[in-house]
Amino acid sequence: MAGESTYSDQVTLAAYIDDGIMEVLRTTNVMLNLMYPVNLVKGSNSKKLQSRNAQTASVVAEAAEATPAVFGKTAGATLLAKKVMVLNELTLESELFGGLSPDEVKVEQGLAVSEKVDTDACALFPGFSNTAGTTGVALTIDKMIEADYKAGLSFAPGARIFVLGNVQILHLKQYIVTSGASVWANPMVSNLLGEQAQPNGFVGYILNRAVFETQHVPLVNSNADRCGACLNPMYALAAAYVRPPNTEVEGNSSKRTREVSTDYFYDVKERLDGAGCGIISKATA
């Protein structure tokens, strides 16, 4: 205020900066718990996914010999652990006058690693052989039904779920609202409008399927569309992990800085192509 003086020996750090530094705002990570987990054995950085071959029964005439068929396995994709890192330099000045600490850096680095895994997993959606939706067109309920049907043709057990981009959720809500008053009485769709978003990206149900929302679903068709997916969580995708993220802090005495680094080894691949179906719709509101 006018006429007042503040002396340096009486001023605290809180007088200059907000002691509640706001976290980095990120889109939700949803895929870590929606993939089949594979633990790599010690000393190995890879593992091949396999599945049993289907067998067929046939009629055999009386006293005739049945034709033997070799029972085997089909080799799928190979999970190969790759290293990702986040490296930050923390200066002495930023710690003394900026209110930053290595612990804060560790938290943000862990979130960045999680975001990288999530982005890579969602990037596999356009690779599914089955797709539903039309480029440049808003997402509608009938395309959701089509995607659910196609993913169900794999006969993978368990409930299927939807992972959609923010704008795809917007399209669905707009479709529900404008499609007629009777739709509000249908619990299969109205739940999507009123459910409170959860930290894992869950935003409600539609067609009795859980819906997860994230902006990590990729842009496709020259960035004209977003590609979400309908998938069976434990069958469509697999993820290989070696160990939890590892963080180290090392000091540099000549610069009076500290380097904070976090590394993580992982890989994500399709496990069963038919257990997922890409959902394409326009990327704009």
Side-chain angles (χ1 to χ4, degrees):
M1 296 177 62
E4 291 189 358
S5 298
T6 303
Y7 297 94
S8 61
D9 61 346
Q10 298 174 327
V11 177
T12 64
L13 186 65
Y16 291 101
I17 65 171
D18 178 12
D19 55 358
I21 300 174
M22 187 175 70
E23 71 277 11
V24 176
L25 302 181
R26 306 172 185 270
T27 188
T28 309
N29 297 326
V30 303
M31 294 303 299
L32 287 175
N33 294 320
L34 300 177
M35 296 183 287
Y36 176 76
V38 176
N39 293 317
L40 300 180
V41 298
K42 186 176 181 180
S44 174
N45 67 342
S46 66
K47 182 174 285 188
K48 184 175 288 294
L49 298 172
Q50 300 182 93
S51 61
R52 291 194 295 266
N53 292 338
Q55 303 301 305
T56 303
S58 57
V59 175
V60 178
E62 182 179 357
E65 289 188 359
T67 303
V70 176
F71 183 83
K73 295 179 290 186
T74 300
T78 298
L79 291 161
L80 178 63
K82 54 191 175 184
K83 178 176 66 178
V84 294
M85 283 188 60
V86 188
L87 175 64
N88 296 113
E89 185 178 62
L90 196 60
T91 65
L92 183 62
E93 288 81 358
S94 66
E95 292 191 62
L96 288 175
F97 311 122
L100 298 177
S101 69
D103 287 340
E104 287 181 290
V105 179
K106 292 176 184 178
V107 169
E108 291 300 336
Q109 289 185 346
L111 292 172
V113 168
S114 175
E115 186 173 48
K116 173 62 175 170
V117 177
D118 203 70
T119 301
D120 285 355
C122 290
L124 297 174
F125 294 169
F128 290 134
S129 297
N130 290 321
T131 59
T134 306
T135 181
V137 178
L139 184 58
T140 56
I141 298 295
D142 60 323
K143 296 303 179 183
M144 299 283 286
I145 295 172
E146 179 184 349
D148 183 57
Y149 161 74
K150 288 182 175 179
L153 292 175
S154 66
F155 305 120
R160 294 178 291 279
I161 55 98
F162 293 106
V163 179
L164 302 173
N166 306 52
V167 71
Q168 293 180 307
I169 299 291
L170 169 68
H171 294 158
L172 285 179
K173 290 181 177 180
Q174 290 174 332
Y175 181 86
I176 292 170
V177 171
T178 60
S179 60
S182 62
V183 77
W184 295 94
N186 189 337
M188 295 296 187
V189 294
S190 61
N191 179 269
L192 185 65
L193 296 172
E195 188 73 23
Q196 180 67 38
Q198 302 298 313
N200 65 348
F202 173 77
V203 292
Y205 291 93
I206 195 164
L207 306 173
N208 209 29
R209 307 292 189 213
V211 180
F212 295 84
E213 179 184 53
T214 178
Q215 198 61 6
H216 289 153
V217 299
L219 289 163
V220 295
N221 300 328
S222 301
N223 296 336
D225 304 301
R226 286 279 181 185
C227 184
C230 176
L231 52 89
N232 184 295
M234 290 296 106
Y235 286 85
L237 303 178
Y241 308 111
V242 178
R243 55 164 169 73
N246 176 60
T247 302
E248 296 182 358
V249 181
E250 293 187 3
N252 186 322
S253 58
S254 64
K255 296 173 63 178
R256 300 302 292 161
T257 62
R258 288 198 278 184
E259 286 189 346
V260 184
S261 64
T262 298
D263 63 78
Y264 189 51
F265 289 84
Y266 75 97
D267 194 16
V268 290
K269 290 281 183 12
E270 278 190 16
R271 186 184 184 208
L272 177 62
D273 178 70
C277 177
I279 301 176
I280 296 171
S281 61
K282 69 175 184 176
T284 58

